[in-house]
Amino acid sequence: MSIAQRLITRNMQARPLVKGITLALMLAMPFSVSGAVDRDAQYEPVTPTVEQARANILIARQLQFTHFRNLGINDSLSGDVFDAYLDYLDGQRIYLTQEDIRKFSAIRMGLGSALKTGQLQPGFDIYNLVQQRMIERLNFALSLIDQGIDNLNFNTEETIRLDRSEAEWEPNKEALDSLWVKRVKNAVLAQRLNGSDDEAIEESLRQRYEGQLKRAYQARSEDAFQAYMNAFAGMWDPHTSYFSPRTSENFNINMSLSLEGIGAVLQADNEYTKVVRLVPGGPAAKQGQLQPADRIVSVTQEDEEKPVNVIGWRLDEVVDLIRGPRESTVTLEVIPASATDETVTKTIAIQRDKVKLEEQSASKDVIELERGGQSYQIGVINIPTFYADFKAMQEGDPNYKSTTRDVRDLIEELKADGVDGVVMDLRNNGGGALHEANDLVGLFIDQGPTVQIRNSNNDVQVLTDQDPSVAYDGPLVVLVNRMSASASEIFAGAIQDYGRGLVVGSQTFGKGTVQAVRPLNHGQLKITQSKFYRVSGGSTQHKGVIPDIEIPSRVDKTRIGEDALDHALPWDQIEAVPHARYFDFSGVIDELRQRHEDRFEASPEFRLLQQEIDFLKEQRELESVSLNHDQRKEHQSQIEHTRLTIANARRELRGEEPFDTLEELDDWQDIQAADLNSTDEELDFIIREGGHIMADMLELDQRMASILNPRQITAQAR
């Protein structure tokens, strides 16, 4: 089997496991936790096992001698591992104090030598102290609830910091007490503003804190080992991760083509479980409401009325709770990625189902543009993922399903329709089968290299399209966004390097590395072994693909993307490989950009998009929120008013009646999302803008016909 067939680039947007194990929601039955917690129980410290010590030694050897990055285990690394480990265990700095941190000063610089030799006790000592401090804090929060939340004062001028990841550790227990009073007040205020009465709030918070407390008492040796090993492995890069035996099982399920569940990949994010990405064609993606970076608050089964609060749960337990049999329904309460704080939540009902390969398939549409009396027919091909039915392929089925085969058929249909150009929509395409990206490039070029792969020994393999036939030789635009990753970036980068078309959208994810999963005596190690480079020599790693024409995006690049991850491998470049150059856009690109910007300024849709982007940015930049009831209510009212104003402006553009209240808007969105058979007759304006850019290309330079006769050049590295 060739390297192209072996390298399957899935889980492209997975966050580093230092921040939490990333799991897919696929098979198995729901998980439940019952029984009251004994608040007076004594925490039983966890201890390392012999198997874990052996696995630690194997992991250290693999990291030092087989990882793409050459990184030694020394005193400097020890300090970094220590910081990353504490970041995982207490990322918001709400359990430990400066006094606790000083206790570990002697351990800090000795972790490296201990990790080389399988001495795990220092890491377990840190873990056990954090668990003990967590129990103390949760009991303190419960004592406040026991005293009655009506005793809390919401008329002060207090504020609470939203993100404490960069805050100083509180100096002592008394300071932490003050912080936790604020935390409880913030939680109460959030639910009051959502319309809950005090009795319901007390029950909800007691369930939350008792659930977290119970899990702290039930800490397992494997929890400590997995967290410690991922803090260690994450020093090399964010995609190198240790999988415990149980997590390995979940990972293997995720790599299967037969998937059942809601079709989402989750990760731990401090106290919350966060959505990393949605599986194309899966129930959550089709339902349409769950989005990357949403945080899950509670889970409700279809046969139960009472939601289960999952704040503070272990990730694997949340995954087990959300999983379930096909055609059953699970309801998630989430804090949307766009929310300013915990005040804003919404509920999403998703019917579990099997993720079918055909529902990930490429599809086509045709849009018609009228410009100055000239009519243009633009073909649009949407590719949700780079897929291939490997089982059918291995069995010799001549009609096996794949991205390239499907797109070839769609191109023939579009050519029969007489389209003037083709827009390839790779937005939100997180990657998939590498050889499909290679073959897809081949549909648009005669033949030649498509991507370079360099391993840790600096050996470079060049994947090439060896088929001289061309499925489509006309004008081409490729749409990308921040969620376009890996195989998508390889395709977009090759089209850009060949001058075969224009790349339009926002900077892509920047996932330009290849991982292999290696078995250990205890679990598995996913380790980065290679790196992708474009035919022009530049890596897709870290930087991604920079569009020729940029379109603003709602996605926060500081939170999503390779360059937002700790210890991500850097961008670099190697020698270019000779390749064709089909068209030189340098003579028209400035005019193309100006025309696009003029349309941007004149377009109501673009103005609304920019207004929404500015609004979201403003909310994300908030560092704190008020704990004064009236001030917080006024802030929430302003947010709701802005949301409603933007939504009604969009409805006005479509000639639809505006909503009177935010509740009407939310109800309408729920109805739209619940109707999985509904279709939007009007393609979104980003696609239409891609069509307009295509029309600009045709108007500005009739030499586009020269695409048929590429001139060969020796490309220079960029």
Side-chain angles (χ1 to χ4, degrees):
M1 185 180 293
S2 70
I3 187 171
Q5 293 171 316
R6 293 199 305 268
L7 303 179
I8 309 303
T9 55
R10 292 189 184 275
N11 287 336
M12 297 309 163
Q13 279 95 340
R15 294 282 295 186
L17 294 188
V18 169
K19 296 290 185 183
I21 307 304
T22 305
L23 298 180
L25 301 182
M26 305 305 172
L27 304 171
M29 298 296 291
F31 174 88
S32 63
V33 177
S34 60
V37 62
D38 179 6
R39 293 198 211 170
D40 296 323
Q42 293 296 313
Y43 172 71
E44 294 293 334
V46 296
T47 57
T49 67
V50 173
E51 290 78 11
Q52 290 168 347
R54 291 173 179 167
N56 172 198
I57 294 172
L58 291 174
I59 290 170
R61 290 175 180 171
Q62 294 268 18
L63 293 173
Q64 287 185 94
F65 302 119
T66 65
H67 193 280
F68 185 86
R69 171 178 268 163
N70 182 16
L71 189 64
I73 302 177
N74 50 34
D75 290 346
S76 175
L77 185 77
S78 295
D80 291 339
V81 172
F82 178 85
D83 292 338
Y85 189 35
L86 287 185
D87 186 44
Y88 174 78
L89 297 175
D90 189 13
Q92 288 297 302
R93 306 191 174 192
I94 57 177
Y95 302 125
L96 299 177
T97 65
Q98 292 179 18
E99 295 174 355
D100 293 324
I101 301 301
R102 281 194 290 269
K103 292 178 183 178
F104 295 133
S105 58
I107 295 178
R108 179 184 179 91
M109 302 313 295
L111 291 184
S113 58
L115 284 164
K116 275 186 178 181
T117 55
Q119 299 176 51
L120 295 171
Q121 196 58 53
F124 275 66
D125 289 342
I126 295 172
Y127 182 87
N128 285 323
L129 181 61
V130 174
Q131 293 300 110
Q132 290 168 349
R133 294 293 183 260
M134 184 188 301
I135 290 169
E136 293 170 5
R137 291 295 100 210
L138 294 170
N139 274 318
F140 177 80
L142 285 166
S143 71
L144 295 177
I145 304 300
D146 291 342
Q147 294 168 26
I149 61 175
D150 55 326
N151 291 320
L152 298 173
N153 185 1
F154 293 96
N155 296 317
T156 67
E157 295 300 312
E158 288 181 310
T159 61
I160 186 169
R161 185 169 177 169
L162 292 172
D163 180 8
R164 288 183 46 82
S165 60
E166 300 297 327
E168 296 293 329
W169 302 96
E170 295 296 338
N172 49 43
K173 178 180 178 296
E174 289 71 25
L176 267 187
D177 286 347
S178 298
L179 172 62
W180 272 80
V181 171
K182 288 185 176 183
R183 287 176 57 81
V184 172
K185 289 174 67 173
N186 186 53
V188 171
L189 190 54
Q191 294 196 39
R192 277 184 178 173
L193 293 176
N194 279 333
S196 298
D197 59 41
D198 282 2
E199 182 179 353
I201 293 172
E202 287 190 9
E203 181 182 359
S204 172
L205 293 182
R206 185 171 284 110
Q207 182 194 64
R208 176 195 301 186
Y209 297 135
E210 286 184 347
Q212 292 177 249
L213 189 59
K214 185 171 185 177
R215 278 155 194 83
Y217 281 128
Q218 294 175 342
R220 302 170 300 195
S221 175
E222 195 60 37
D223 296 332
F225 181 65
Q226 185 163 259
Y228 193 28
M229 286 304 99
N230 279 303
F232 180 39
M235 296 297 101
W236 274 258
D237 87 304
H239 304 287
T240 294
S241 316
Y242 167 72
F243 294 160
S244 70
R246 184 177 184 188
T247 308
S248 297
E249 179 183 351
N250 282 283
F251 178 78
N252 294 335
I253 290 171
N254 183 37
M255 294 301 292
S256 169
L257 285 178
S258 178
L259 310 176
E260 283 188 15
I262 67 170
V265 178
L266 307 181
Q267 75 170 42
D269 184 24
N270 294 310
E271 294 179 289
Y272 289 98
T273 297
K274 185 171 71 175
V275 178
V276 177
R277 68 179 178 92
L278 305 179
V279 178
K286 290 192 295 182
Q287 198 269 358
Q289 287 184 292
L290 194 67
Q291 297 296 321
D294 286 356
R295 291 173 291 168
I296 299 172
V297 175
S298 69
V299 179
T300 308
Q301 307 300 334
E302 66 178 3
D303 55 348
E304 299 176 3
E305 295 183 2
K306 189 174 181 179
V308 177
N309 189 294
V310 296
I311 297 176
W313 281 36
R314 283 194 298 262
L315 179 63
D316 56 353
E317 292 178 345
V318 178
V319 169
D320 284 345
L321 188 64
I322 298 177
R323 286 173 174 170
R326 184 178 179 182
E327 297 185 354
S328 63
T329 299
V330 62
T331 300
L332 308 180
E333 179 188 7
V334 305
I335 301 172
S338 58
T340 56
D341 55 57
E342 299 174 12
T343 304
V344 181
T345 66
K346 66 179 179 181
T347 56
I348 303 171
I350 303 173
Q351 187 178 68
R352 302 173 177 109
D353 201 353
K354 184 174 182 178
V355 181
K356 303 178 181 69
L357 188 61
E358 59 268 22
E359 291 176 343
Q360 302 182 17
S361 300
S363 59
K364 72 173 178 67
D365 213 319
V366 177
I367 59 176
E368 184 172 337
L369 302 177
E370 293 290 339
R371 293 163 45 115
Q374 177 73 35
S375 177
Y376 293 93
Q377 298 284 330
I378 307 297
V380 179
I381 296 178
N382 176 259
I383 305 177
T385 185
F386 286 84
Y387 54 88
D389 189 340
F390 288 98
K391 181 178 180 182
M393 185 193 310
Q394 292 168 351
E395 291 174 351
D397 184 349
N399 299 313
Y400 71 87
K401 192 171 183 61
S402 76
T403 300
T404 305
R405 285 168 171 252
D406 290 347
V407 171
R408 187 190 297 273
D409 292 341
L410 296 177
I411 286 173
E412 292 304 315
E413 294 173 13
L414 291 174
K415 286 162 65 174
D417 292 336
V419 297
D420 297 298
V422 171
V423 174
M424 301 285 286
D425 189 357
L426 296 183
R427 292 173 301 166
N428 303 318
N429 183 321
L434 174 61
H435 80 273
E436 285 300 316
N438 176 68
D439 292 347
L440 191 66
V441 174
L443 298 183
F444 302 93
I445 66 172
D446 290 335
Q447 58 185 123
T450 61
V451 65
Q452 304 184 75
I453 304 170
R454 179 166 71 102
N455 65 23
S456 58
N457 294 325
N458 289 324
D459 295 328
V460 177
Q461 180 176 4
V462 180
L463 300 190
T464 62
D465 165 48
Q466 299 179 348
D467 184 354
S469 65
V470 177
Y472 178 72
D473 56 15
L476 183 67
V477 165
V478 180
L479 291 181
V480 295
N481 64 6
R482 190 62 162 177
M483 305 305 291
S484 304
S486 198
S488 294
E489 296 173 292
I490 290 171
F491 176 82
I495 294 299
Q496 194 176 58
D497 288 341
Y498 273 90
R500 183 58 189 83
L502 282 179
V503 178
V504 175
S506 53
Q507 180 183 10
T508 60
F509 192 89
K511 206 283 187 179
T513 56
V514 185
Q515 286 71 43
V517 178
R518 296 179 177 171
L520 304 167
N521 67 304
H522 185 79
Q524 295 174 306
L525 180 67
K526 180 162 71 80
I527 188 168
T528 297
Q529 63 177 15
S530 308
K531 198 171 180 181
F532 290 132
Y533 294 83
R534 292 162 59 156
V535 296
S536 58
S539 175
T540 58
Q541 169 62 18
H542 206 279
K543 185 183 292 187
V545 177
I546 306 298
D548 300 295
I549 297 177
E550 294 202 37
I551 295 178
S553 170
R554 298 179 182 88
V555 176
D556 181 5
K557 292 200 297 184
T558 65
R559 299 174 61 193
I560 297 178
E562 190 77 8
D563 54 2
L565 304 181
D566 293 334
H567 306 291
L569 293 180
W571 179 89
D572 63 343
Q573 59 184 12
I574 59 176
E575 289 187 12
V577 290
H579 59 279
R581 184 73 180 175
Y582 285 76
F583 189 79
D584 183 3
F585 288 98
S586 62
V588 296
I589 191 63
D590 288 342
E591 178 65 20
L592 289 172
R593 288 171 179 155
Q594 187 60 55
R595 289 191 177 197
H596 160 70
E597 290 172 5
D598 290 343
R599 276 191 301 272
F600 185 99
E601 293 296 328
S603 167
E605 291 97 337
F606 271 124
R607 287 200 298 270
L608 279 175
L609 173 62
Q610 189 61 59
Q611 182 180 349
E612 188 173 6
I613 291 171
D614 292 342
F615 167 68
L616 293 174
K617 181 180 179 182
E618 179 183 343
Q619 301 309 311
R620 285 193 292 257
E621 290 177 348
L622 285 175
E623 295 183 354
S624 62
V625 291
S626 174
L627 294 177
N628 179 287
H629 179 275
D630 293 340
Q631 293 177 14
R632 186 75 161 269
K633 186 174 182 179
E634 174 62 24
H635 176 66
Q636 180 174 323
S637 297
Q638 291 174 359
I639 292 173
E640 292 175 349
H641 174 74
T642 303
R643 283 186 58 206
L644 188 60
T645 299
I646 293 174
N648 281 337
R650 285 205 174 98
R651 289 182 68 80
E652 184 179 352
L653 288 175
R654 303 190 198 105
E656 300 170 345
E657 289 295 320
F659 296 111
D660 292 328
T661 65
L662 192 66
E663 288 73 18
E664 286 185 21
L665 168 61
D666 290 337
D667 290 344
W668 178 81
Q669 289 177 335
D670 290 344
I671 293 171
Q672 291 296 108
D675 184 6
L676 299 182
N677 296 317
S678 66
T679 56
D680 186 357
E681 295 181 358
E682 183 180 1
L683 289 174
D684 73 77
F685 70 91
I686 299 295
I687 291 179
R688 298 187 69 81
E689 176 59 16
H692 279 295
I693 291 172
M694 175 76 69
D696 291 338
M697 290 163 57
L698 295 171
E699 291 174 0
L700 286 174
D701 202 322
Q702 296 301 317
R703 292 173 301 163
M704 290 298 294
S706 67
I707 280 177
L708 297 171
N709 299 296
R711 58 187 177 89
Q712 302 295 323
I713 66 171
T714 299
Q716 300 298 317
R718 293 182 177 178

